[in-house]
Amino acid sequence: MSADPLHSAGTPQRSKTSPPPSGSTASAIEVRRSARRRRTVSAYREGDRTIVLIPARMSEAEERRWVTVMLDKLAAQESRRTLGDAELAERARRLSEQYFDGRARPASVRWVTNQNTRWGSCTPAEGSIRLSHRLQGMPEYVVDYVLLHELAHLLVPGHGPDFWRLLEAYPRTERARGYLEGVVAAARLPQLPGARTE
């Protein structure tokens, strides 16, 4: 994935700006087509926009698929830049403002290394939220979902209908849950024949 500006992509044949898919952190996506591009696709952030550079010959369906792929790659790259506890707490504050009108106010939000069977936990009486270090490096929308899940517990302690109604506000809930279920399922897969154990 290249972060090169338009100068190396040639003159775009068509430029299109559209709203981002739900759950994206950028405010707009701009697709730039170039006759000079043959096979490569790249993307980069430019302020609050995401620029996706694609070959001019791509169909609309290929364009949509590649935009999704590139947004996921950018999100994964960005979340690999590990957030410290202070940044994690700020992220939780912003998510609470955006999805819960600021009603969920944790006293502390931090990474922990002792949660190997859970992605996160919350102690409503103390207002503390802990996220497993295993989330570090996962896509941003997955970390956001786990944060929102724990923030929702500050408002509704159990997993009843009121709790799940709160999480309906986050548009990538099902996708994030699917991602985490895939990680858990992959960890249960038997080792491939011939794989060495250390």
Side-chain angles (χ1 to χ4, degrees):
M1 189 169 359
S2 171
D4 59 331
L6 185 58
H7 72 271
S8 64
T11 306
Q13 287 186 339
R14 183 175 60 89
S15 181
K16 176 174 73 176
T17 302
S18 59
S22 53
S24 173
T25 56
S27 65
I29 298 160
E30 183 176 331
V31 176
R32 296 179 184 169
R33 289 177 175 259
S34 171
R36 289 177 56 192
R37 259 180 202 275
R38 296 288 177 223
R39 291 185 301 268
T40 61
V41 176
S42 62
Y44 61 95
R45 304 276 193 215
E46 188 176 86
D48 65 350
R49 293 183 308 150
T50 300
I51 311 300
V52 180
L53 306 170
I54 64 172
R57 63 175 175 70
M58 272 193 184
S59 69
E60 292 291 322
E62 288 175 309
E63 175 185 314
R64 283 190 300 274
R65 184 177 71 80
W66 275 106
V67 165
T68 301
V69 166
M70 298 312 284
L71 287 174
D72 285 346
K73 282 187 177 186
L74 281 174
Q77 277 182 345
E78 289 163 355
S79 73
R80 275 195 284 277
R81 296 179 201 124
T82 304
L83 299 173
D85 289 348
E87 292 101 347
L88 196 62
E90 175 57 23
R91 193 164 178 169
R93 186 196 64 73
R94 284 195 320 264
L95 288 166
S96 176
E97 285 293 327
Q98 184 175 357
Y99 294 102
F100 303 145
D101 298 321
R103 293 179 295 132
R105 295 188 186 113
S108 68
V109 181
R110 62 191 175 93
W111 295 107
V112 294
T113 57
N114 63 351
Q115 288 192 55
N116 295 314
T117 59
R118 293 199 254 179
W119 297 113
S121 62
C122 175
T123 307
E126 297 172 5
S128 62
I129 291 175
R130 294 158 307 279
L131 294 192
S132 172
H133 71 287
R134 296 177 305 140
L135 289 165
Q136 293 173 336
M138 289 190 187
E140 190 175 89
Y141 73 91
V142 175
V143 176
D144 285 352
Y145 164 72
V146 177
L147 267 175
L148 281 164
H149 184 105
E150 302 310 331
L151 286 166
H153 279 308
L154 293 176
L155 304 173
V156 179
H159 288 105
D162 290 341
F163 174 84
W164 292 111
R165 264 193 293 279
L166 279 175
L167 284 180
E168 284 174 2
Y170 184 57
R172 297 186 94 175
T173 291
E174 287 308 312
R175 186 171 185 186
R177 287 179 58 137
Y179 184 99
L180 292 171
E181 287 168 6
V183 169
V184 170
R188 288 191 205 131
L189 290 173
Q191 199 168 22
L192 294 174
R196 296 171 55 148
T197 57
E198 312 257 339

